[in-house]
Amino acid sequence: MKPLVYYCRWHEASLRLRGRDETAVWGHLVYNAKTEQEELQEFRFELKTWRLTLQTTDGEETLQLDEMGTVQ
């Protein structure tokens, strides 16, 4: 889960986990936390492959993260 935490740091987002199983975690990335402009983005992060799937207005976007949370 470390790559996901790093990804959030690089993008100035907070994590709100909603669930977890043996293969993945999911929830929301929160931008501008604790402000009136708080924005939520749903995500699913696969623990073994470090694949991050984000819900966007156009559908889903899948990103492959490296160990430092940067997109490959």
Side-chain angles (χ1 to χ4, degrees):
M1 206 164 114
K2 187 165 76 169
L4 177 60
V5 172
Y6 282 139
Y7 178 87
C8 289
R9 285 185 185 171
W10 306 146
H11 295 275
E12 298 180 4
S14 299
L15 279 174
R16 285 195 189 150
L17 296 179
R18 300 292 183 207
R20 179 185 183 119
D21 63 22
E22 56 277 345
T23 62
V25 295
W26 55 90
H28 293 97
L29 300 180
V30 183
Y31 300 93
N32 300 319
K34 300 180 183 177
T35 68
E36 291 182 21
Q37 293 94 17
E38 182 177 278
E39 294 180 32
L40 301 176
Q41 184 174 32
E42 285 186 56
F43 77 90
R44 178 178 175 82
F45 180 70
E46 297 176 24
L47 297 169
K48 292 184 181 179
T49 62
W50 298 340
R51 203 169 323 152
L52 177 62
T53 302
L54 302 171
Q55 291 294 325
T56 66
T57 55
D58 297 329
E60 289 185 348
E61 178 182 6
T62 301
L63 307 172
Q64 181 63 51
L65 302 183
D66 67 8
E67 64 187 26
M68 293 304 295
T70 57
V71 179
Q72 293 184 329

